[in-house]
Every structure is written in structure tokens, then in C-alpha cells.
């Protein structure tokens, strides 16, 4: 009799030289299925306080969306690669601009004048050289800080996603294989139990009908054979149940662990992008501040 939670198997055996019946009942647990839903109460500990904000995590709220989480990280990596390409191009332009300004400054570096224009023009050359140096520094900072960190973050995401994708596929494949094996072992064991029960019933019927002793001996031998087969298949069935339960626990715990790592990595990706965008804005502000100060000095020199 197959039930939702257990496999209940009843075997009726003939009593030794009594013509009576002994009922042997065996109950074999079926491994529990993987969880279908998990309720998130908002915190690690239960809290009935409505003022406490709900905290959602990948491992609790997205435990059955592993591939969705991987795709989110993959999409985040694509965005980082685009940002990296943008800053690489910007750094290249900054260097070209720096060299262009230096070239302009070099053309008039030997300018000499006995008039009041000398101070004004000299100030313009000083500003031009400083401007060139600032853009060169900006190029270096973009490559050293922004591009290097964004590129490293993208590589880390790629490596982690591939590693976890392979590991998750491996443990889930093993789970499916063990589930199939469990179904086959259970079917073979139930069939063996039925044959054992039939052999006992045949022996009992033969005794009731007064069959010859040699026929009873054959039926008794068949009972022993069926019992051995049943015992062997029962041991295999038990092993299959244990392996399946262990693998189910492994899949659940490993998936939770990987989702937590992916959440940490996703948060790190966000922080890395924000920090480098802030650093980029600082570089822009430095350029604007230098240009503003340079214009003020140039204006005073022009007035003089």
C-alpha cells in the first residue's frame, strides 16, 4: 500500500507447524520532498513589532530562483563591462587632450615681450601646462582606480557565477539521479514483498489442501528464496532512502549558502560602482576647480 508519507507493507506468513497466520507489518519512511515554500517573517527572530522593518534575503526569499539570481549577477557584470569601456575611452581622450594642451603650450614657450603683455601671456602658458598636467593625472587616476576596480569586479562576478552555476547543476543532477534510483528501488522492493507474500499464501493454501510433503518442501524453499531477495532489496532500498535524504539536505543547505554569497557579491558590485562613480565625480570637480581658479588668475593678469 503506497501512501503519501510512508510505504506500508503487510506480509502474512504461515506459522511453524500450526497452520496459523502471523502478520508482519513493515513501515518504511519516504524521504520528505524539497520545501515548496518558505515564509519570511522579516527578521532572523520572530518579531510582532510592526515598526521593525522587514529584511528580505536572497537565501530566504529567492531560494527557488537560483538561476534568476545568476542572471541578475550576469546582467550586472555586463553593465560593469560597459562602464569599464566608457572609462577606458574617457581616459584615452583625457590623455589625448593633455598631450594636445602640452603641444599648444610648447609652441609659445619662448615668447618674450618687453611690454605689459608678457605677464599676461606667461600666465596663460602656466595655466596651459597646469591644465595639461591635470588631465594627464585624470587619465592615470581613471586607469589606476576606476578601470582597474571595475574590471576586477567584473572578473570576480564571472568567475563566481561560473563556479556556482557548475556546482548547483552538479548537486541538482545528483539529486534527480537519486530520486530516479529511489523510485526504481522502491518499486523492486514492493514487488519482492508481494512475491514473498504470494509464496507464503501459496504454502498456506497447499497445507490446507493437504498437498504432498515434497510439494510443501518446494514451496517452503521458494519462501526462503523470496525472503532473501526481499531482505537484499530492503537493504538497498534503505540505502537509497538515506542517500536521497542526505542529498536533499545538501541541495537545500548548499543553495542557501551560494545564494548568500551571491547576495554579498551583488551588494559588493553595487558598492564598487557607486564608489568609483563618486571618485569620477571628484576628478571632474578637481578639473572644474582648477579651471575656475585659472580663469580668475588669467582675468587679473589680463586686466593688469
Amino acid at each position: 500500500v503506497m501512501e503519501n508519507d510512508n510505504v506500508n507493507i503487510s506480509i502474512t506468513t504461515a506459522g511453524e507447524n500450526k497452520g496459523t497466520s502471523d502478520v508482519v507489518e513493515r513501515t518504511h519512511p519516504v524521504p520528505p520532498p524539497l520545501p515548496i515554500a518558505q515564509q519570511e517573517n522579516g527578521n532572523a527572530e520572530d518579531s510582532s513589532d510592526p515598526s521593525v522593518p522587514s529584511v528580505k534575503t536572497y537565501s530566504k526569499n529567492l531560494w527557488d530562483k537560483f538561476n534568476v539570481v545568476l542572471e541578475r549577477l550576469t546582467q550586472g557584470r555586463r553593465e560593469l563591462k560597459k562602464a569599464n569601456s566608457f572609462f577606458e575611452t574617457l581616459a584615452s581622450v583625457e590623455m589625448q587632450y593633455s598631450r594636445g594642451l602640452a603641444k599648444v603650450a610648447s609652441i609659445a614657450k619662448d615668447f618674450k615681450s618687453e611690454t605689459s603683455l608678457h605677464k599676461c601671456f606667461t600666465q596663460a602658458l602656466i595655466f596651459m601646462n597646469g591644465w595639461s598636467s591635470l588631465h594627464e593625472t585624470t587619465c592615470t587616476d581613471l586607469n589606476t582606480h576606476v578601470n582597474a576596480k571595475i574590471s576586477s569586479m567584473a572578473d570576480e562576478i564571472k568567475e563566481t557565477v561560473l563556479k556556482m552555476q557548475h556546482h548547483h547543476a552538479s548537486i541538482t543532477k545528483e539529486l534527480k539521479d537519486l530520486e530516479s534510483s529511489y523510485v526504481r528501488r522502491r518499486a523492486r522492493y514492493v514487488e519482492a514483498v508481494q512475491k514473498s507474500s504470494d509464496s507464503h499464501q501459496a504454502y498456506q493454501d497447499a497445507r490446507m489442501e493437504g498437498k504432498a510433503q515434497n510439494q510443501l518442501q518446494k514451496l517452503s524453499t521458494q519462501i526462503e528464496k523470496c525472503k532473501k531477495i526481499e531482505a537484499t532489496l530492503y537493504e538497498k532500498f534503505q540505502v537509497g532512502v538515506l542517500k536521497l535524504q542526505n542529498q536533499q539536505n545538501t541541495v537545500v543547505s548548499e543553495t542557501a549558502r551560494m545564494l548568500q554569497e551571491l547576495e554579498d557579491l551583488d551588494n559588493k558590485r553595487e558598492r564598487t560602482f557607486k564608489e568609483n562613480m563618486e571618485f569620477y565625480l571628484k576628478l571632474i570637480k578637481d578639473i572644474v576647480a582648477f579651471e575656475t581658479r585659472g580663469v580668475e588668475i588669467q582675468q587679473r593678469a589680463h586686466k593688469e
Side-chain angles (χ1 to χ4, degrees):
V1 181
M2 310 297 271
E3 297 182 350
N4 291 334
D5 297 326
N6 298 288
V7 180
N8 296 326
I9 303 170
S10 298
I11 305 175
T12 302
T13 61
E16 290 294 333
N17 301 319
K18 296 181 181 179
T20 59
S21 297
D22 299 324
V23 178
V24 180
E25 293 188 356
R26 300 186 181 89
T27 301
H28 306 298
V30 177
L34 290 172
I36 297 176
Q38 295 185 1
Q39 299 298 323
E40 171 61 47
N41 60 29
N43 298 282
E45 299 180 356
D46 291 337
S47 174
S48 58
D49 186 357
S51 63
V52 177
S54 176
V55 178
K56 296 184 177 181
T57 64
Y58 287 12
S59 59
K60 291 184 179 180
N61 299 88
L62 298 175
W63 67 268
D64 58 342
K65 299 291 189 296
F66 188 80
N67 290 330
V68 174
V69 174
L70 289 183
E71 177 56 32
R72 172 180 172 81
L73 268 294
T74 301
Q75 176 61 31
R77 178 179 178 272
R78 286 194 288 263
E79 293 172 356
L80 288 176
K81 295 295 288 184
K82 290 180 180 179
N84 188 44
S85 178
F86 166 80
F87 285 117
E88 282 182 345
T89 304
L90 179 59
S92 177
V93 171
E94 287 285 348
M95 180 55 72
Q96 294 175 16
Y97 191 41
S98 171
R99 291 170 180 172
L101 292 173
K103 183 178 180 180
V104 171
S106 66
I107 294 175
K109 65 180 179 179
D110 295 329
F111 176 82
K112 293 181 180 180
S113 174
E114 299 299 331
T115 67
S116 60
L117 293 177
H118 178 74
K119 182 178 180 181
C120 180
F121 198 75
T122 299
Q123 188 61 51
L125 292 178
I126 293 173
F127 174 72
M128 193 67 64
N129 284 317
W131 205 9
S132 172
S133 177
L134 179 59
H135 283 283
E136 181 180 1
T137 301
T138 300
C139 170
T140 302
D141 288 340
L142 286 173
N143 285 325
T144 303
H145 297 281
V146 179
N147 285 331
K149 292 181 180 179
I150 290 179
S151 179
S152 176
M153 186 74 254
D155 291 341
E156 182 180 354
I157 291 175
K158 180 181 179 180
E159 180 181 353
T160 302
V161 167
L162 288 176
K163 180 179 68 175
M164 293 193 175
Q165 195 172 37
H166 179 269
H167 182 53
H168 188 261
S170 176
I171 61 177
T172 52
K173 179 182 182 301
E174 185 175 354
L175 176 62
K176 290 180 181 179
D177 291 343
L178 288 172
E179 287 173 344
S180 299
S181 175
Y182 165 79
V183 171
R184 292 193 301 270
R185 291 186 182 192
R186 184 176 66 173
R188 286 196 294 266
Y189 176 64
V190 171
E191 182 181 2
V193 169
Q194 186 60 52
K195 287 182 178 180
S196 182
S197 179
D198 292 343
S199 67
H200 280 85
Q201 187 63 48
Y203 180 85
Q204 189 175 19
D205 292 343
R207 284 175 58 87
M208 297 295 293
E209 294 172 4
K211 297 291 184 180
Q213 187 63 33
N214 61 339
Q215 292 181 334
L216 292 176
Q217 185 60 39
K218 289 181 179 180
L219 291 173
S220 179
T221 301
Q222 182 64 24
I223 289 176
E224 293 301 320
K225 181 180 178 181
C226 290
K227 285 174 63 177
K228 290 180 180 179
I229 294 175
E230 177 194 343
T232 300
L233 292 177
Y234 174 60
E235 289 180 2
K236 292 182 178 180
F237 179 62
Q238 282 187 315
V239 171
V241 170
L242 182 60
K243 286 184 176 180
L244 181 54
Q245 288 177 327
N246 290 338
Q247 188 61 21
Q248 285 178 329
N249 293 333
T250 296
V251 170
V252 171
S253 61
E254 281 296 284
T255 299
R257 178 188 64 79
M258 289 189 289
L259 284 172
Q260 183 59 56
E261 289 186 18
L262 290 172
E263 182 175 9
D264 293 341
L265 185 62
D266 201 17
N267 291 334
K268 182 180 178 182
R269 173 192 64 84
E270 181 180 357
R271 289 195 306 271
T272 298
F273 189 77
K274 288 177 64 177
E275 289 170 0
N276 283 281
M277 283 301 296
E278 290 172 357
F279 184 78
Y280 165 64
L281 292 176
K282 177 181 178 300
L283 295 179
I284 293 178
K285 290 178 180 179
D286 290 343
I287 293 176
V288 171
F290 178 84
E291 292 174 344
T292 302
R293 179 60 177 166
V295 168
E296 294 174 353
I297 295 174
Q298 187 68 46
Q299 285 178 336
R300 284 200 300 271
H302 178 68
K303 289 180 179 179
E304 293 174 1

